[in-house]
Each structure stands twice: as C-alpha cells, then as structure tokens.
Amino acid sequence: MKIYNVIGYSILSLYLLACIYFAPAALGPWLGLCVGVTYFVFFWFLAGIYLADVLHLGIAHRSLDYKDWFIKIVVIVNNVFGVYVDPVAWVNRHRLHHKHSDHAGDPNKLASDGFWRTLYLCIFPYSCNEDLAADKIFKSWPFRLVANNYFALFSPVFSLGVLWLLVRDWRFVLVMWLGLRIFAIWVNMIQNYWTHTRQYGYRRYDDAHDNAMNIGEWLPVTATFSACLQNNHHHYPGLLRLSHSPDEYDFGFATVKWMKSLGVVKATEKGGQIPEDVRLGALGF
Ligand SMILES: [Zn+2]
C-alpha cells in the first residue's frame, strides 16, 4: 500500500477508535461513534463541495456556473461551522499555483520542497506577490464577512463552542474537531505534496514544466473530490471534469452531476469543451 494511503487510512482508523474511547458516558461508545462519524462525514462533504467544486471549478477556473445564492450559502455554512478556509486567499493562491506550478511564485510548493516543508506550507504558504482574485462575487457581503483575519480567529472558536453545546464534553469535542482538521491537512498534502512529487502516481501527459501527477486510488480520489488527478487538471485546467478517461474513478464529478440535478449548477462554455486529445467520447454532464 502506498504511504499516502497508509497515512490516510490510519488517520481515519484512529479517529473512529478515539470517538469510541472518548465518547461521553451519556452517549456511550456506539452512539458516540455515530455522532463522530456524522460530524466528520457531513463537514468533510461540505468542505469538498466548497473547495473542490465551488471555489475551484466554479470560481478559480470558471468551468462551472453556480447560482450565486448557492455559492453564498456554502461559503457561510462551511466557514462558520466547518473547516475554515479564506475563499479569496484560496482562489488567489490557486491561480498563482497554476501560473507558476512548482516554481518560484507557486505559494503551495516548490519542486525542491520535501514532505515536512510542504506540510508546513499547508498551514503557512509562501506569500503571494500578485493579486489574481478580483472577481465581482468577492465584493458581496458573505465573502467580505468571512475573508479576513478577524473571521479566521472567530470561526474556530465558534465552531468549537457549537460542538461543545451539542455534546458537553471537551475531550470528545476536541477529538471530533481536531480529527476532522488533521484529515483536512492530509487531503491538502495529497494535493500539494503527493500529486506534485514525481515519484508518486502516474502521468497521462508528459508536461515538462510542472511535476503534477495523477493519483487514482479510491480513498484519495474520494477524499479530495478528485483533485488528486493533478496531471490531467494541470494539462487542461479549464475542463469541468478532472478524469480524462471513462476508466478513471471520479467522485468529484459525481457530486457536480448531483448538484446539476438539483438545478444549482451548469457548465460554462469553457468548462464543457472536450479538448481533442482527451479520451472522452462525451463529457457525461
Ligand atoms: Zn486548478
């Protein structure tokens, strides 16, 4: 088993065991486990919709066109109750990441950065020297509310407090709150380190200017909403799906299709165009 899968499954196993062990007496171990799993799955899924589907494909690349009200609800609910990520800073960093992939100017990682350095950069990325995030929607009140340092301090305190009000046990609250965020860092490391280091994964396109790789196993693809298909994505960043063949498992695309069935998203002209050398008979959207 690949090291990133060993680490990912270990985090999940330890989380489940910790939920059982630290469950408050009032809940008991099995109800405690149910509460822990529900919290984890709900906020992991919401963070995936927020980052991979809405911020990434909807705003940063403009491959998908979401209803404005839907974007704003996801931005508020995720950042008030879930894993806080400044949306404007994230979009700016992501655009710089594509512009300078693995070279000076990429806030996520330089080609020479190793595992521990990239882990540090997940929390404290390189500073951005350009502002590529001047989108109109960033001027709306939900984005102005959450995209600042005061809210970045408020959000973790508030989300911890709400959890405590629900379960009234600090050890159990910390297991759930920290467990989800440790898993989020692993997801971030899949995208920033393991799929940008040539010794892992596979390449469909032999692009010399970056180190983007595809990782296609079930856990990383599901956990990252398919953002680990980096080699495909860096080759055609405008396409609305990250799998470039019907054989590639694509959880993120399934979630986008689900949101389309709910009527909250459609393809943009750019996002819906299949480039000639992509092995897809149809987009499937
Ligand atoms: Zn991208």
Side-chain angles (χ1 to χ4, degrees), residues 50 54-55 58-59 65-76 137 142-143:
Y50 168 60
V54 171
L55 285 191
I59 297 180
D65 184 10
Y66 287 90
K67 301 276 189 206
D68 269 13
W69 61 264
F70 179 75
I71 294 178
K72 290 168 185 173
I73 288 175
V74 170
V75 165
I76 288 175
I137 197 165
F143 281 88

mmCIF file of all heavy atoms in Angstrom, residues 50 54-55 58-59 65-76 137 142-143:
data_model
loop_
_atom_site.group_PDB
_atom_site.id
_atom_site.type_symbol
_atom_site.label_atom_id
_atom_site.label_comp_id
_atom_site.label_asym_id
_atom_site.label_seq_id
_atom_site.Cartn_x
_atom_site.Cartn_y
_atom_site.Cartn_z
ATOM 1 N N TYR A 50 -17.404 22.922 -1.103
ATOM 2 C CA TYR A 50 -16.936 24.310 -1.006
ATOM 3 C C TYR A 50 -15.627 24.519 -1.780
ATOM 4 O O TYR A 50 -15.535 25.405 -2.643
ATOM 5 C CB TYR A 50 -16.752 24.646 0.481
ATOM 6 C CG TYR A 50 -16.023 25.928 0.786
ATOM 7 C CD1 TYR A 50 -16.506 27.162 0.354
ATOM 8 C CD2 TYR A 50 -14.841 25.912 1.532
ATOM 9 C CE1 TYR A 50 -15.837 28.337 0.655
ATOM 10 C CE2 TYR A 50 -14.167 27.085 1.834
ATOM 11 C CZ TYR A 50 -14.658 28.294 1.394
ATOM 12 O OH TYR A 50 -13.983 29.450 1.691
ATOM 13 N N VAL A 54 -16.986 24.304 -5.742
ATOM 14 C CA VAL A 54 -17.423 25.693 -5.890
ATOM 15 C C VAL A 54 -16.232 26.640 -6.103
ATOM 16 O O VAL A 54 -16.135 27.310 -7.131
ATOM 17 C CB VAL A 54 -18.283 26.123 -4.675
ATOM 18 C CG1 VAL A 54 -18.556 27.616 -4.718
ATOM 19 C CG2 VAL A 54 -19.604 25.357 -4.663
ATOM 20 N N LEU A 55 -15.300 26.692 -5.111
ATOM 21 C CA LEU A 55 -14.178 27.639 -5.261
ATOM 22 C C LEU A 55 -13.282 27.254 -6.436
ATOM 23 O O LEU A 55 -12.841 28.113 -7.197
ATOM 24 C CB LEU A 55 -13.322 27.679 -3.987
ATOM 25 C CG LEU A 55 -13.855 28.415 -2.754
ATOM 26 C CD1 LEU A 55 -12.749 28.566 -1.732
ATOM 27 C CD2 LEU A 55 -14.437 29.774 -3.095
ATOM 28 N N GLY A 58 -15.795 26.321 -9.892
ATOM 29 C CA GLY A 58 -16.790 27.373 -10.114
ATOM 30 C C GLY A 58 -16.169 28.758 -10.228
ATOM 31 O O GLY A 58 -16.535 29.529 -11.104
ATOM 32 N N ILE A 59 -15.231 29.071 -9.305
ATOM 33 C CA ILE A 59 -14.695 30.438 -9.284
ATOM 34 C C ILE A 59 -13.280 30.511 -9.863
ATOM 35 O O ILE A 59 -13.026 31.257 -10.804
ATOM 36 C CB ILE A 59 -14.754 31.018 -7.848
ATOM 37 C CG1 ILE A 59 -16.224 31.106 -7.400
ATOM 38 C CG2 ILE A 59 -14.089 32.394 -7.797
ATOM 39 C CD1 ILE A 59 -16.443 31.650 -6.006
ATOM 40 N N ASP A 65 -20.812 27.083 -13.666
ATOM 41 C CA ASP A 65 -21.567 28.299 -13.358
ATOM 42 C C ASP A 65 -22.611 27.948 -12.292
ATOM 43 O O ASP A 65 -23.627 27.333 -12.579
ATOM 44 C CB ASP A 65 -22.239 28.785 -14.659
ATOM 45 C CG ASP A 65 -22.969 30.096 -14.460
ATOM 46 O OD1 ASP A 65 -22.791 30.716 -13.392
ATOM 47 O OD2 ASP A 65 -23.731 30.484 -15.373
ATOM 48 N N TYR A 66 -22.332 28.334 -11.029
ATOM 49 C CA TYR A 66 -23.254 28.056 -9.917
ATOM 50 C C TYR A 66 -24.195 29.230 -9.709
ATOM 51 O O TYR A 66 -23.841 30.376 -9.994
ATOM 52 C CB TYR A 66 -22.469 27.847 -8.617
ATOM 53 C CG TYR A 66 -21.732 26.535 -8.529
ATOM 54 C CD1 TYR A 66 -20.422 26.425 -8.980
ATOM 55 C CD2 TYR A 66 -22.350 25.411 -7.983
ATOM 56 C CE1 TYR A 66 -19.742 25.220 -8.904
ATOM 57 C CE2 TYR A 66 -21.676 24.208 -7.900
ATOM 58 C CZ TYR A 66 -20.372 24.122 -8.360
ATOM 59 O OH TYR A 66 -19.709 22.932 -8.287
ATOM 60 N N LYS A 67 -25.368 28.933 -9.159
ATOM 61 C CA LYS A 67 -26.266 30.002 -8.718
ATOM 62 C C LYS A 67 -25.541 30.793 -7.619
ATOM 63 O O LYS A 67 -24.971 30.188 -6.696
ATOM 64 C CB LYS A 67 -27.559 29.420 -8.139
ATOM 65 C CG LYS A 67 -28.334 28.544 -9.110
ATOM 66 C CD LYS A 67 -29.215 29.364 -10.024
ATOM 67 C CE LYS A 67 -30.135 28.455 -10.839
ATOM 68 N NZ LYS A 67 -30.549 29.079 -12.103
ATOM 69 N N ASP A 68 -25.609 32.110 -7.687
ATOM 70 C CA ASP A 68 -24.929 32.947 -6.691
ATOM 71 C C ASP A 68 -25.380 32.643 -5.262
ATOM 72 O O ASP A 68 -24.568 32.589 -4.340
ATOM 73 C CB ASP A 68 -25.191 34.433 -6.983
ATOM 74 C CG ASP A 68 -24.112 35.004 -7.902
ATOM 75 O OD1 ASP A 68 -23.352 34.203 -8.485
ATOM 76 O OD2 ASP A 68 -24.048 36.241 -8.032
ATOM 77 N N TRP A 69 -26.704 32.445 -5.072
ATOM 78 C CA TRP A 69 -27.213 32.193 -3.706
ATOM 79 C C TRP A 69 -26.633 30.887 -3.163
ATOM 80 O O TRP A 69 -26.358 30.787 -1.955
ATOM 81 C CB TRP A 69 -28.747 32.181 -3.674
ATOM 82 C CG TRP A 69 -29.402 31.121 -4.519
ATOM 83 C CD1 TRP A 69 -29.885 31.268 -5.778
ATOM 84 C CD2 TRP A 69 -29.631 29.741 -4.163
ATOM 85 N NE1 TRP A 69 -30.398 30.072 -6.238
ATOM 86 C CE2 TRP A 69 -30.266 29.125 -5.271
ATOM 87 C CE3 TRP A 69 -29.373 28.982 -3.028
ATOM 88 C CZ2 TRP A 69 -30.630 27.774 -5.273
ATOM 89 C CZ3 TRP A 69 -29.735 27.628 -3.016
ATOM 90 C CH2 TRP A 69 -30.362 27.034 -4.131
ATOM 91 N N PHE A 70 -26.438 29.901 -4.044
ATOM 92 C CA PHE A 70 -25.891 28.618 -3.585
ATOM 93 C C PHE A 70 -24.441 28.789 -3.135
ATOM 94 O O PHE A 70 -24.039 28.301 -2.065
ATOM 95 C CB PHE A 70 -25.987 27.585 -4.715
ATOM 96 C CG PHE A 70 -25.425 26.244 -4.339
ATOM 97 C CD1 PHE A 70 -26.125 25.386 -3.497
ATOM 98 C CD2 PHE A 70 -24.189 25.832 -4.822
ATOM 99 C CE1 PHE A 70 -25.606 24.151 -3.134
ATOM 100 C CE2 PHE A 70 -23.659 24.592 -4.471
ATOM 101 C CZ PHE A 70 -24.378 23.759 -3.626
ATOM 102 N N ILE A 71 -23.650 29.528 -3.929
ATOM 103 C CA ILE A 71 -22.251 29.785 -3.553
ATOM 104 C C ILE A 71 -22.199 30.447 -2.181
ATOM 105 O O ILE A 71 -21.431 30.049 -1.299
ATOM 106 C CB ILE A 71 -21.573 30.700 -4.600
ATOM 107 C CG1 ILE A 71 -21.459 29.997 -5.952
ATOM 108 C CG2 ILE A 71 -20.191 31.153 -4.109
ATOM 109 C CD1 ILE A 71 -20.831 30.852 -7.054
ATOM 110 N N LYS A 72 -23.059 31.454 -1.982
ATOM 111 C CA LYS A 72 -23.001 32.224 -0.733
ATOM 112 C C LYS A 72 -23.406 31.382 0.471
ATOM 113 O O LYS A 72 -22.798 31.496 1.545
ATOM 114 C CB LYS A 72 -23.876 33.480 -0.867
ATOM 115 C CG LYS A 72 -23.267 34.484 -1.843
ATOM 116 C CD LYS A 72 -24.227 35.594 -2.219
ATOM 117 C CE LYS A 72 -23.605 36.494 -3.285
ATOM 118 N NZ LYS A 72 -24.562 37.484 -3.802
ATOM 119 N N ILE A 73 -24.401 30.520 0.308
ATOM 120 C CA ILE A 73 -24.802 29.649 1.427
ATOM 121 C C ILE A 73 -23.666 28.695 1.786
ATOM 122 O O ILE A 73 -23.321 28.517 2.963
ATOM 123 C CB ILE A 73 -26.095 28.859 1.072
ATOM 124 C CG1 ILE A 73 -27.290 29.803 1.075
ATOM 125 C CG2 ILE A 73 -26.325 27.719 2.068
ATOM 126 C CD1 ILE A 73 -28.591 29.169 0.615
ATOM 127 N N VAL A 74 -23.045 28.093 0.759
ATOM 128 C CA VAL A 74 -21.943 27.145 1.021
ATOM 129 C C VAL A 74 -20.786 27.868 1.714
ATOM 130 O O VAL A 74 -20.203 27.357 2.681
ATOM 131 C CB VAL A 74 -21.480 26.483 -0.301
ATOM 132 C CG1 VAL A 74 -20.191 25.698 -0.096
ATOM 133 C CG2 VAL A 74 -22.577 25.567 -0.850
ATOM 134 N N VAL A 75 -20.458 29.079 1.237
ATOM 135 C CA VAL A 75 -19.349 29.850 1.829
ATOM 136 C C VAL A 75 -19.627 30.143 3.303
ATOM 137 O O VAL A 75 -18.756 29.977 4.163
ATOM 138 C CB VAL A 75 -19.143 31.174 1.034
ATOM 139 C CG1 VAL A 75 -18.288 32.168 1.808
ATOM 140 C CG2 VAL A 75 -18.506 30.870 -0.317
ATOM 141 N N ILE A 76 -20.834 30.537 3.625
ATOM 142 C CA ILE A 76 -21.145 30.901 5.015
ATOM 143 C C ILE A 76 -21.202 29.648 5.905
ATOM 144 O O ILE A 76 -20.558 29.610 6.957
ATOM 145 C CB ILE A 76 -22.475 31.687 5.078
ATOM 146 C CG1 ILE A 76 -22.238 33.079 4.486
ATOM 147 C CG2 ILE A 76 -22.962 31.813 6.518
ATOM 148 C CD1 ILE A 76 -23.470 33.917 4.379
ATOM 149 N N ILE A 137 -17.811 38.619 -7.350
ATOM 150 C CA ILE A 137 -18.520 37.976 -6.232
ATOM 151 C C ILE A 137 -17.773 38.164 -4.900
ATOM 152 O O ILE A 137 -18.365 38.127 -3.828
ATOM 153 C CB ILE A 137 -18.772 36.466 -6.518
ATOM 154 C CG1 ILE A 137 -19.858 35.940 -5.561
ATOM 155 C CG2 ILE A 137 -17.481 35.656 -6.440
ATOM 156 C CD1 ILE A 137 -20.460 34.615 -5.955
ATOM 157 N N PRO A 142 -21.244 38.031 1.894
ATOM 158 C CA PRO A 142 -20.777 36.773 2.519
ATOM 159 C C PRO A 142 -19.257 36.598 2.397
ATOM 160 O O PRO A 142 -18.604 36.126 3.328
ATOM 161 C CB PRO A 142 -21.523 35.690 1.735
ATOM 162 C CG PRO A 142 -22.719 36.377 1.177
ATOM 163 C CD PRO A 142 -22.253 37.756 0.842
ATOM 164 N N PHE A 143 -18.697 37.015 1.257
ATOM 165 C CA PHE A 143 -17.243 36.889 1.088
ATOM 166 C C PHE A 143 -16.507 37.914 1.944
ATOM 167 O O PHE A 143 -15.490 37.608 2.547
ATOM 168 C CB PHE A 143 -16.861 37.037 -0.391
ATOM 169 C CG PHE A 143 -17.117 35.786 -1.184
ATOM 170 C CD1 PHE A 143 -18.354 35.559 -1.770
ATOM 171 C CD2 PHE A 143 -16.126 34.816 -1.325
ATOM 172 C CE1 PHE A 143 -18.603 34.395 -2.482
ATOM 173 C CE2 PHE A 143 -16.369 33.651 -2.041
ATOM 174 C CZ PHE A 143 -17.609 33.446 -2.618
#
